[in-house]
Amino acid sequence: MKFRAKIVDAACLNHFTHKLANGGVSMWCELEQENFFREFQMEGVSAENNEIYLELTSENLSRALKTAQNARALKIKLTNKHFPCLTVSVDLLSVSNSSRIVTHDIPIKVIPRKLWKDLQEPVVPHPDVSIYLPVLKTMKSVVEKMKNISNHLVIEANLNGELNLKIETELVCITTHFKDLGNPPLASENASQDRNPEQMAEVQLEIKKLLQFLVGQQVNPTKALCNIVSNKMVHFDLLHEDVSLQYFIPALS
């Protein structure tokens, strides 16, 4: 069983493709429960649909988990305390070596089953180019400098392991080149036979949306992949130990 979290840039529950069509940004994360919890028990809506879909404010969960950084144990329960809650109980060790329990009740919304179809893992169109990303800190530093000059940025890449970040205004044109990044084996195998490996696939994005992705990365992924669907979207896929994180940014129309 997996924990699945879909995070969008608005509170409304819209279909993924509708979000992209209207300029929204989506994120999808999967966690294997056996890699994080020693004990796990859940009863879904039925034996056939052993799932529960919840909506919550991510900042509330983040604040609760920060108190658990030095905890002896952590327990997360779905409760009803006059309203549905995700109750986070943190077992902390006090100065006197006695146990101290800190409890956070996070308000949630239980999503009705009729809306589940809108919260499935997005189906990504077949990319024109897949390429490994450079070090994310380096990429973030470049993009932060570019945002002082333009609001828009072009990402382009090819099947020779080359990726460029470009901005262009009436006064200046700036390009940062990354070479020898490598392409996933399947990317080359699935590429169109008519596609020149040096041919660039490109997508134009809002810089602030790309920075949201780069600034929000607190982990150093073992693999970071960029999939470009020309002039439509870019899909980032980050793998770190037992966590898979996908981030989707639509192209500027």
Side-chain angles (χ1 to χ4, degrees):
M1 185 172 296
K2 295 178 181 178
F3 287 111
R4 293 187 178 92
K6 180 182 179 186
I7 305 169
V8 295
D9 65 343
C12 57
L13 300 175
N14 292 322
H15 192 273
F16 169 74
T17 52
H18 176 73
K19 293 292 297 177
L20 284 184
N22 289 276
V25 174
S26 291
M27 183 162 60
W28 183 271
C29 180
E30 291 197 3
L31 310 175
E32 295 281 356
Q33 61 87 5
E34 60 267 20
N35 294 328
F36 293 88
F37 296 95
R38 186 172 63 249
E39 298 178 13
F40 182 83
Q41 181 180 353
M42 193 188 86
E43 294 182 10
V45 296
S46 67
E48 297 79 20
N49 295 279
N50 192 25
E51 296 179 294
I52 302 174
Y53 285 59
L54 309 174
E55 182 181 7
L56 54 83
T57 302
S58 57
E59 288 85 353
N60 292 340
L61 180 59
S62 176
R63 281 196 294 267
L65 294 178
K66 282 182 180 178
T67 64
Q69 291 180 347
N70 298 313
R72 295 197 303 180
L74 170 71
K75 182 184 293 185
I76 300 177
K77 294 172 60 178
L78 181 60
T79 59
N80 191 352
K81 301 184 177 181
H82 305 295
F83 53 87
C85 289
L86 197 65
T87 297
V88 179
S89 298
V90 183
D91 186 356
L92 297 172
L93 191 64
S94 68
V95 177
S96 60
N97 289 330
S98 60
S99 182
R100 179 167 61 95
I101 304 296
V102 177
T103 301
H104 304 266
D105 291 322
I106 303 171
I108 62 166
K109 176 181 177 182
V110 179
I111 299 172
R113 191 170 170 183
K114 64 181 180 180
L115 296 178
W116 287 12
K117 65 181 185 300
D118 295 335
L119 294 170
Q120 302 305 308
E121 181 175 4
V123 177
V124 182
H126 185 73
D128 296 295
V129 168
S130 293
I131 188 169
Y132 293 115
L133 285 172
V135 176
L136 295 182
K137 286 185 179 179
T138 302
M139 190 172 172
K140 172 175 169 284
S141 176
V142 171
V143 175
E144 283 181 331
K145 291 179 174 64
M146 287 181 165
K147 78 172 182 178
N148 298 322
I149 302 173
S150 175
N151 294 323
H152 307 142
L153 171 147
V154 171
I155 296 181
E156 63 177 14
N158 63 21
L159 294 173
N160 274 349
E162 299 172 331
L163 183 144
N164 300 328
L165 303 177
K166 302 194 305 184
I167 58 172
E168 186 172 352
T169 69
E170 294 180 356
L171 300 176
V172 66
C173 178
I174 300 174
T175 303
T176 299
H177 304 272
F178 297 93
K179 296 184 178 181
D180 302 320
L181 297 175
N183 304 89
L186 288 177
S188 300
E189 294 174 8
N190 295 334
S192 169
Q193 297 298 319
D194 298 329
R195 189 174 190 88
N196 185 334
E198 296 184 359
Q199 180 184 352
M200 291 288 183
E202 70 172 43
V203 61
Q204 186 178 33
L205 309 173
E206 286 187 57
I207 285 185
K208 67 177 182 180
K209 291 180 178 177
L210 179 59
L211 271 178
Q212 284 175 351
F213 159 69
L214 294 170
V215 171
Q217 298 315 306
Q218 302 298 321
V219 298
N220 185 24
T222 53
K223 288 186 180 179
L225 188 64
C226 172
N227 299 307
I228 297 176
V229 183
S230 292
N231 301 315
K232 292 184 179 179
M233 65 169 288
V234 63
H235 164 223
F236 297 108
D237 191 3
L238 307 184
L239 298 175
H240 178 73
E241 295 180 353
D242 302 313
V243 179
S244 168
L245 179 64
Q246 299 180 67
Y247 200 84
F248 309 83
I249 306 178
L252 282 171
S253 56

